[in-house]
């Protein structure tokens, strides 16, 4: 099940969309098929992956962590070293290049926490495309640093005021825009979710991660027992796992957000949780966290990227048939993993990626020393300082924010900046 069969992965997937969405999706599907067989397209993609994204990303032997845990060797795939700080740029660049060969000059995207918005805004800046990002009004308020970054890259951020004013409403607005502007516009969906052909497209553009890992592991003659990735919608995990899906080994382990506990509303565990059901939402059939009326449950995670009620259909199917094992990590375990790898390896995991790190910390001591575990660090943790600092250094952080506010109210630095801006 390395790719879909006509848009389906077993019983999951499909194209459950309004009639007006059929044409854009069908056009996208055939353009994508052509592009993947077009040598010039693939060469352009490889060049920009190398020179702009910074591929290939390193595979780091976590020597101290391995010694402390005393079992299997831990290796970390450093996707956080990709330009813009996470794996999301792999998909944004791929889809923006695809839009260009389809003759579309305008890009739209949805974003929740803002990471996909930032990656897409950057890709559009690099490729000279017009960019509009739909973002719930609540998220715009919560995620100002990412909004500022998108605007610096020249994107327009459209605050969505309908519904709960969060990610799912942003997706709905983006779909509406796409249907109305299909001739000029491509919709860059940010994870391995949504109606076909998006799950196939996103996996293909993210599979560069897994292809590099396969080569790097072979060069070093690693005996890989397990590969571990965190799983929100599922784009970094499915891209990391892609070249191994049709093989019997290694074990493929996806880690969901365990949040603060097992009860409905306390986590985002679609495969391991007890509120999970088959359902159809936002154009695809998969596993979702739903209430008894079939409405999306609210989810909870310290990591914004894993805080989503649905999971990509291919992951759901591979979980069901047993090729991918699912587990979860609590918020507290993810925070501990951030500290552990920062202190012992000098790498700062994003909170999302730290869920995979936490699973590796548990698994490594149970395996022999001649085996390897590869963890995908999907992103780096610089973006998380507003979440980690209040936890790790609450008093100092509070004092810092107060003094920053004083500085802004005082207005002196802003005034200086304005004067410099005029020069
Ligand atoms: C968005 C994000 C995720 C979760 O999304 P997937 O589609 O499941 O990969 C994980 N890690 C980071 C760093 C992210 O920004």
């Amino acid at each position: 099940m390395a790719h879909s069969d006509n848009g389906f992965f077993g019983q999951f997937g499909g194209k459950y969309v309004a009639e007006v969405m059929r044409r854009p999706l069908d056009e996208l599907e055939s353009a994508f098929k052509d592009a993947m067989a077009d040598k010039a397209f693939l060469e352009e993609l490889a060049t920009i992956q190398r020179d702009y994204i910074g591929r290939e990303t390193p595979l780091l032997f976590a020597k101290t962590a391995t010694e402390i845990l005393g079992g299997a060797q831990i290796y970390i795939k450093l996707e956080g070293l990709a330009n813009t700080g996470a794996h999301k740029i792999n998909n944004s660049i791929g889809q923006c290049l695809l839009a260009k060969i389809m003759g579309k000059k305008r890009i739209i995207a949805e974003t929740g926490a803002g990471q996909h918005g930032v990656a897409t805004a950057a890709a559009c800046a690099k490729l000279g495309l017009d960019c509009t990002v739909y973002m719930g009004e609540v998220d715009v308020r919560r995620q100002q640093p990412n909004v500022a970054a998108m605007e610096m890259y020249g994107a327009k951020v459209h605050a969505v005021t309908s519904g709960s004013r969060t990610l799912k409403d942003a997706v709905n607005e983006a779909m509406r825009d796409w249907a109305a502007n299909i001739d000029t516009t491509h919709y860059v969906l940010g994870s391995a979710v949504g109606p076909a052909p998006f799950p196939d497209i996103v996996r293909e553009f993210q599979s560069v991660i897994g292809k590099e890992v396969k080569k790097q592991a072979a060069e070093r003659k690693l005996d890989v027992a397990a590969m571990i990735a965190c799983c929100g919608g599922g784009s970094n995990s499915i891209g990391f796992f892609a070249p191994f899906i049709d093989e019997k080994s290694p074990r493929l382990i996806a880690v969901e957000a365990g949040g603060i506990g097992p009860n409905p509303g306390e986590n985002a565990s679609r495969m391991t949780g007890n509120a999970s059901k088959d359902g159809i939402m936002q154009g695809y059939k998969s596993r979702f966290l739903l209430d008894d009326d079939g409405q999306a449950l609210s989810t909870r995670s310290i990591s914004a990227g894993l805080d989503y009620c649905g999971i990509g259909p291919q992951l759901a199917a591979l979980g069901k048939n047993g090729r991918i094992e699912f587990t979860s990590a609590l918020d507290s375990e993810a925070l501990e993993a951030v500290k552990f790898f920062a202190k012992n390896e000098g790498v700062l995991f994003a909170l999302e990626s730290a869920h995979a790190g936490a699973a590796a910390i548990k698994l490594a001591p149970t395996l022999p020393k001649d085996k390897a575990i590869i963890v995908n660090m999907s992103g780096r943790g610089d973006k998380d300082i507003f979440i980690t600092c209040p936890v790790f250094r609450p008093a100092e952080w509070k004092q810092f924010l107060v003094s920053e506010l004083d500085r802004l109210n005082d207005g002196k630095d802003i005034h200086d900046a304005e004067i410099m801006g005029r020069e």
Side-chain angles (χ1 to χ4, degrees), residues 86-88 115 190-192 230-237 305-306 350 352-353 378-380 383:
H87 71 288
K88 288 207 169 70
Q115 296 305 113
S191 190
C230 68
C231 186
S235 67
N236 89 87
S237 53
L306 305 186
E352 291 84 359
S353 326
S378 52
R380 60 173 184 252
K383 70 178 177 64

Side-chain angles (χ1 to χ4, degrees), residues 2 207 209-218 224 227 237-252 318 323-324 374:
S207 68
I209 308 172
K211 287 174 191 156
E212 288 176 7
V213 165
K214 197 166 196 180
K215 179 179 130 270
Q216 290 166 322
V224 184
M227 297 182 46
S237 53
I238 201 70
F240 181 59
F241 296 156
F244 305 91
I245 288 170
D246 282 342
E247 299 175 5
K248 284 214 167 59
S249 65
R251 287 169 64 188
L252 306 176
L318 290 165
R323 181 63 187 101
I324 297 180
I374 305 179

Side-chain angles (χ1 to χ4, degrees), residues 21-42:
M21 300 307 299
R22 285 297 299 265
R23 198 184 119 215
L25 290 170
D26 289 347
E27 277 182 19
L28 177 61
E29 194 165 343
S30 71
F32 175 64
K33 247 189 220 141
D34 293 348
M36 295 317 277
D38 176 353
K39 215 166 143 242
F41 175 83
L42 295 175

